[in-house]
Amino acid sequence: MSLRVIQFSTGNVGRHSLRSIINRPGLELVGVHASSPDKVGRDAAELCGLDAATGITATDDLQALLALKADCVVYTSQAETRPQAALADITAFLAAGTNVVATSLVWLVYPPHADAWLREPIEAACAAGGTTMFVNGIDPGFSGDLLPLAALSLTERADEILVQEIFDYGTYDDAAFTGASFGFGTTPDTVPALFLPGVLASIWGGPIRLLADRLGVQVEELRERHETWTATETITCTMMTVEPGQVAAARFAVEGIVHGRPAIVMEHVNRLTAQAAPEWPFPPDGRPGVHRVVVRGVPGVEINTHVGDESTDHNMAGVIATAAKAVNAIPAVCAAPPGLTHLSDLPVAQAHGLMP
Ligand SMILES: NC(=O)c1ccc[n+]([C@@H]2O[C@H](COP(=O)([O-])OP(=O)(O)OC[C@H]3O[C@@H](n4cnc5c(N)ncnc54)[C@H](OP(=O)(O)O)[C@@H]3O)[C@@H](O)[C@H]2O)c1
């Protein structure tokens, strides 16, 4: 019997998870949430670029969606800018008996690291509804949990783990959230919310602690660092136009200190076009982006992940992969014991690929 699934939001990530749910055998789309008035009432297929109508139309009526008693909701609504509203939506589903897989509320990729204000209401709702919640994506998510765990499965001894996203965001059409998060287009004296003390660690400290817990080591401290690169010439790309003196690249990291040294590090080198920050690392082989893990130890292991190909831009591919990460986890999350879960509590093989 198919799992009955609701898609919550139809934005950058949501339209891809919606398409994936509709197309995937074993899943039945039973509801779609859209907040924008111009989307409410439209067929789900139209909202994700499919031709054949599904008969399921978008609604902004949360109570109607709760009443469907679906097996799972894929929650991809923007949440970092409206965490209390997202928390209210999610706990309502969990308490009503509907499991949640989400790309939103990125602080929950490793729940033991998350603040109590976020974790406790969700745990209570899971207990009340007998339900499970899982948050993941490509980064944070795959790059900081499944990718390094795959590398660590090959190591006899790990001395240092470096996880990097090195990505050209120039083709990503999201200046309002992603661009603003990295401070792109601002002057270097403007500190974006991501670089306020504690924010980087709240997001990428979770995957560091997940790996430390798997390795049985104690993280003594989470150290944050960030720097920006300002354009020397005008840079024009899909995301925005950056004038000289404005930020066109950001490099930031969270370092997990073990035995007094940075032993587990999650670093980003994010730029707007290859023009930006020429002295910072680039992905290998001339590629526009990489999610990479480098384990120093015995033996050394390096895995470079490139999403996208000739027909799919790497930024679009990152969004599709994030949506797939959530949708592919639905059967495992529906079968898991109640509670807030994470990658290392779930069966690792959440793979899926539709062959034409
Ligand atoms: N871990 C990862 O790798 C990863 C990668 C990408 C994104 N994410 C996370 O996934 C989430 C979605 O990202 P996105 O790029 O798809 O975001 P987005 O396109 O900016 O927004 C997603 C949707 O959220 C809904 N929304 C926005 N404001 C709302 C409001 N005030 N009330 C109700 N709904 C609202 C809208 O849905 P409708 O259009 O349907 O009205 C919007 O299209 C974010 O939380 C982001 O941080 C995680």
Side-chain angles (χ1 to χ4, degrees), residues 8 73-77 79 82 85-86 89-90 93 100-104:
F8 201 109
V73 59
V74 180
Y75 194 89
T76 58
S77 189
R82 44 184 286 279
D89 293 339
I90 286 169
F93 278 109
V100 177
V101 298
T103 63
S104 313

Side-chain angles (χ1 to χ4, degrees), residues 101-350:
V101 298
T103 63
S104 313
L105 295 177
V106 293
W107 306 283
L108 286 168
V109 165
Y110 190 51
H113 179 70
D115 288 348
W117 68 265
L118 186 59
R119 203 183 61 245
E120 287 174 357
I122 294 176
E123 283 169 343
C126 288
T131 46
T132 308
M133 178 171 176
F134 176 56
V135 177
N136 216 267
I138 190 166
D139 189 326
F142 169 82
S143 65
D145 55 30
L146 190 52
L147 181 65
L149 289 175
L152 289 168
S153 74
L154 300 174
T155 58
E156 181 184 314
R157 195 193 72 227
D159 300 327
E160 277 175 31
I161 304 165
L162 171 64
V163 170
Q164 287 180 312
E165 175 186 275
I166 308 176
F167 233 66
D168 178 348
Y169 275 82
T171 59
Y172 197 37
D173 190 10
D174 181 24
F177 179 65
T178 305
S181 298
F182 299 146
F184 291 160
T186 64
T187 49
D189 54 329
T190 309
V191 181
L194 193 62
F195 298 156
L196 294 174
V199 176
L200 289 175
S202 73
I203 300 171
W204 285 280
I208 289 175
R209 289 197 194 278
L210 180 148
L211 295 179
D213 287 351
R214 288 297 293 260
L215 294 170
V217 295
Q218 185 73 31
V219 176
E220 293 136 20
E221 186 191 347
L222 290 171
R223 281 186 201 151
E224 300 171 324
R225 58 176 162 83
H226 64 89
E227 57 186 307
T228 52
W229 184 90
T230 50
T232 49
E233 294 171 13
T234 301
I235 294 177
T236 304
C237 57
T238 307
M239 186 182 280
M240 63 176 69
T241 295
V242 180
E243 301 297 348
Q246 295 180 335
V247 173
R251 183 175 189 172
F252 54 92
V254 181
E255 300 178 341
I257 308 299
V258 179
H259 303 314
R261 63 190 176 83
I264 308 175
V265 176
M266 306 267 159
E267 181 179 54
H268 282 65
V269 179
N270 295 339
R271 47 167 63 84
L272 290 179
T273 80
Q275 265 178 273
E279 63 279 18
W280 290 355
F282 281 89
D285 307 325
R287 303 290 293 250
V290 68
H291 290 95
R292 133 197 303 169
V293 59
V294 181
V295 179
R296 296 195 201 291
V298 180
V301 181
E302 176 175 327
I303 308 177
N304 292 298
T305 312
H306 303 286
V307 289
D309 56 18
E310 311 73 39
S311 59
T312 307
D313 168 79
H314 61 290
N315 278 302
M316 174 64 78
V319 176
I320 295 172
T322 292
K325 198 80 174 65
V327 173
N328 290 344
I330 292 172
V333 169
C334 289
L340 244 175
T341 193
H342 50 84
L343 184 99
S344 53
D345 273 355
L346 290 172
V348 168
Q350 298 155 19

Side-chain angles (χ1 to χ4, degrees), residues 10-13 35-36 39 76-78 80 82 103 138-140:
T10 58
N12 284 328
V13 176
S35 62
S36 323
K39 292 180 177 175
T76 58
S77 189
Q78 172 52 246
E80 288 73 39
R82 44 184 286 279
T103 63
I138 190 166
D139 189 326

